[in-house]
Amino acid sequence: QKEVEQNSGPLSVPEGAIASLNCTYSDRGSQSFFWYRQYSGKSPELIMSIYSNGDKEDGRFTAQLNKASQYVSLLIRDSQPSDSATYLCAVISRQAGTALIFGKGTTLSVSS
Amino acid sequence: EAGVTQSPTHLIKTRGQQVTLRCSPISGHTSVYWYQQALGLGLQFLLWYDEGEERNRGNFPPRFSGRQFPNYSSELNVNALELEDSALYLCASSPDVASQYFGPGTRLLVL
């Protein structure tokens, strides 16, 4: 089983819709979870971090964490064409010290 | 505040050669991480340096090595380059054991 799994997509949503991105992880002891956005040809940009069960909101972004289900998600409200990118889920796993373990990413396409 | 910087931006090498990549962290960040993003493989952890010491390494052969200097900048060295080393090499810095901020990367092509 891969440590961090994401649906590769592409996920296509119309402008203004809610995009829902999902991620599961295998290490039950993981404590820190992150979402990065990566535009084609660019480096990953940190957009959200979450450490406790529940929801965390920042502008149009909401991260949701459920440690019992080993599941973390990212909701993007009012999606814009500029949100079109690959979204990477990353976890700090006890097994890897403080290094980030990344999923392979979900490609989001927002059409205008 | 200046972000993480990396040099060079692009590099072309031939198989068997050696390469050195450089990274300067965000001011005040003492931890530097190196990752490899190869096509189809996703981002994979290479090395972690903190306070001048190698703290952890990923599942890569010993020909991948590096160091961290007293000013917290870091180098990644790759010896005996192989074709599959072609990738984007990303450096990230962190002020703590959590959030990591990435530099623009060095794109290495091995021919």
Side-chain angles (χ1 to χ4, degrees):
Chain A
Q1 180 188 9
K2 288 188 176 20
E3 294 188 67
V4 180
E5 295 202 57
Q6 297 180 253
N7 187 327
S8 62
L11 173 66
S12 297
V13 300
E15 184 175 357
I18 296 175
S20 177
L21 305 158
N22 305 314
C23 171
T24 58
Y25 60 94
S26 60
D27 182 2
R28 187 170 288 279
S30 299
Q31 295 294 322
S32 304
F33 308 86
F34 306 88
W35 284 98
Y36 285 82
R37 176 176 62 199
Q38 187 173 27
Y39 293 111
S40 181
K42 301 295 185 183
S43 63
E45 173 193 8
L46 179 63
I47 53 174
M48 289 289 286
S49 60
I50 186 165
Y51 307 104
S52 305
N53 277 330
D55 295 358
K56 178 181 178 183
E57 188 175 316
D58 184 359
R60 295 186 296 112
F61 299 98
T62 299
Q64 300 174 317
L65 175 61
N66 183 327
K67 290 185 179 180
S69 300
Q70 295 174 243
Y71 176 92
V72 58
S73 65
L74 179 70
L75 300 177
I76 307 175
R77 289 183 300 281
D78 188 24
S79 295
Q80 300 298 309
S82 58
D83 294 327
S84 298
T86 296
Y87 289 81
L88 302 168
C89 173
V91 173
I92 291 184
S93 163
R94 288 177 309 176
Q95 296 159 357
T98 66
L100 291 169
I101 307 299
F102 283 87
K104 289 196 174 181
T106 298
T107 300
L108 172 66
S109 176
V110 182
S111 55
S112 57
Chain B
E1 179 183 84
V4 177
T5 60
Q6 292 186 244
S7 63
T9 55
H10 294 83
L11 210 49
I12 299 175
K13 292 285 188 178
T14 56
R15 199 170 49 183
Q17 286 189 308
Q18 178 264 343
V19 68
T20 297
L21 310 180
R22 294 176 176 83
C23 171
S24 291
I26 293 170
S27 177
H29 291 191
T30 61
S31 276
V32 170
Y33 298 80
W34 287 95
Y35 293 86
Q36 181 197 66
Q37 189 172 35
L39 204 60
L41 293 180
L43 266 155
Q44 297 186 81
F45 166 65
L46 268 165
L47 290 158
W48 169 34
Y49 292 95
D50 184 58
E51 296 286 358
E53 300 285 331
E54 181 180 304
R55 302 296 184 181
N56 198 7
R57 65 180 294 131
N59 189 24
F60 281 84
R63 58 190 185 83
F64 288 84
S65 65
R67 54 180 173 166
Q68 187 178 34
F69 298 98
N71 66 354
Y72 304 115
S73 67
S74 177
E75 283 182 352
L76 173 69
N77 298 295
V78 188
N79 294 320
L81 283 166
E82 299 178 3
L83 296 178
E84 53 264 34
D85 296 333
S86 295
L88 179 66
Y89 288 85
L90 291 159
C91 170
S93 75
S94 176
D96 48 39
V97 295
S99 303
Q100 296 180 24
Y101 300 90
F102 284 87
T106 294
R107 196 165 293 280
L108 173 64
L109 178 61
V110 182
L111 301 176

